[in-house]
Amino acid sequence: MMYSAQKIEQAREAGHAAFVAYLSAGYPDVDFSLDVARAVVDAGADIIEVGFPYSDPTMDGPIIQESGTKALERGLKRADVFKMVETVADAGAAAVVMSYYNPVFHYGVDNFARDLANAGGAGMIIPDIIVEECGEWIEASDKYDLERIFLVAPSCTDQRLRVNAEAARGFVYAASRMGVTGPRATLSSDTESLVARTRAAGAKNVCVGIGVSTHDQAVEVAQFADGVIVGSAIIRALIDNDGDRAASLRAVSAITADIAAGAHTPRSR
């Protein structure tokens, strides 16, 4: 098993940020999603955020919602998520599941954590539950030695940052802006400040996502964050080529390599 914290530390020692790529499990279809995951790792992703599609994705923008809906329509099952985790781990990247709490709760938090660990998963992001209400997940993550990744946003108070930083393991996910995922032309001016505040609150590793979608934006974020998280831009490449496997792999590999190169740009400060 490779943890996200290890990948971030390896990147830090090399003088740059880690690149975190989001993929929807089961999209474009269950079998092909495994090939996509391998291609994205080969193209430079250090960490894969394996999205568990859900019927009420409150954090997801229209691009990721579309991929998740199609994955569910095309037969995605819970076991397929763990298979994708296993595939990512075997390819040499750290695999972190992003799931809303309901699917985890429905299956059983301990059961989910056990199966995630058995698949070689590093940990999990659960965006719709706060630290104070996820004692069962904290207990299970301790039991199975999994990373737990909590989100922070520009609106967070210093006290909320401390609570999330203290409970997190692996990294803290800093949302560059309020709202759902999706490409943005520019990044919020509050992003660098949020990373600094989160570090001051006790977080060692802070990765930035939501709105990062281009090489240049990755370069910008990599100068002050420990990791650069990109999802919608990668998923968009798959949606645009849905039905053509060869074209999908070419497109997703090209955009991943381009953004990964940005994230891996040596820090100048």
Side-chain angles (χ1 to χ4, degrees), residues 152-154 174-178 186-199 206-212 217 220-221 224-225 227:
V152 297
S176 69
R177 63 179 65 229
M178 304 298 290
T186 60
L187 297 176
S188 170
S189 59
D190 294 332
T191 305
E192 186 170 359
S193 173
L194 175 61
V195 171
R197 290 175 60 218
T198 306
R199 286 204 184 104
V206 185
C207 299
V208 170
I210 302 184
V212 185
Q217 288 173 340
E220 178 185 350
V221 170
F224 58 82

Side-chain angles (χ1 to χ4, degrees), residues 146-191:
L146 294 168
E147 295 175 332
R148 47 181 181 259
I149 297 154
F150 294 103
L151 275 72
V152 297
S155 60
C156 285
T157 65
D158 289 344
Q159 173 61 21
R160 173 51 54 189
L161 294 179
R162 282 192 295 271
V163 168
N164 286 18
E166 288 172 2
R169 199 158 60 196
F171 65 88
V172 173
Y173 187 131
S176 69
R177 63 179 65 229
M178 304 298 290
V180 298
T181 62
R184 301 290 193 278
T186 60
L187 297 176
S188 170
S189 59
D190 294 332
T191 305

Side-chain angles (χ1 to χ4, degrees), residues 93-161:
V96 176
V97 167
M98 201 296 285
S99 176
Y100 295 96
Y101 191 64
N102 190 59
V104 178
F105 178 78
H106 180 74
Y107 184 51
V109 177
D110 188 88
N111 292 337
F112 201 101
R114 177 202 63 216
D115 289 354
L116 177 57
N118 287 340
M124 186 159 55
I125 305 166
I126 307 178
D128 59 344
I129 187 169
I130 61 174
V131 172
E132 292 86 348
E133 295 179 356
C134 65
E136 192 174 0
W137 161 231
I138 290 174
E139 181 180 346
S141 60
D142 284 340
K143 179 179 177 180
Y144 295 103
D145 198 20
L146 294 168
E147 295 175 332
R148 47 181 181 259
I149 297 154
F150 294 103
L151 275 72
V152 297
S155 60
C156 285
T157 65
D158 289 344
Q159 173 61 21
R160 173 51 54 189
L161 294 179

Side-chain angles (χ1 to χ4, degrees), residues 9 32 35 46 53-54 63 68 99 108 155 181 195 202 217-218 240-241 251 266:
E9 186 58 34
F32 187 43
D35 293 333
D46 304 295
Y54 179 54
I63 294 172
S99 176
S155 60
T181 62
V195 171
Q217 288 173 340
D240 288 346
N241 294 280

Side-chain angles (χ1 to χ4, degrees), residues 9 39 49 62 65 80 89 93 95 113 122 130 151 156 195-196 229 249 255 257:
E9 186 58 34
E49 190 180 331
Q65 281 193 34
D80 299 320
I130 61 174
L151 275 72
C156 285
V195 171
I229 304 171
L249 286 178
I255 193 165

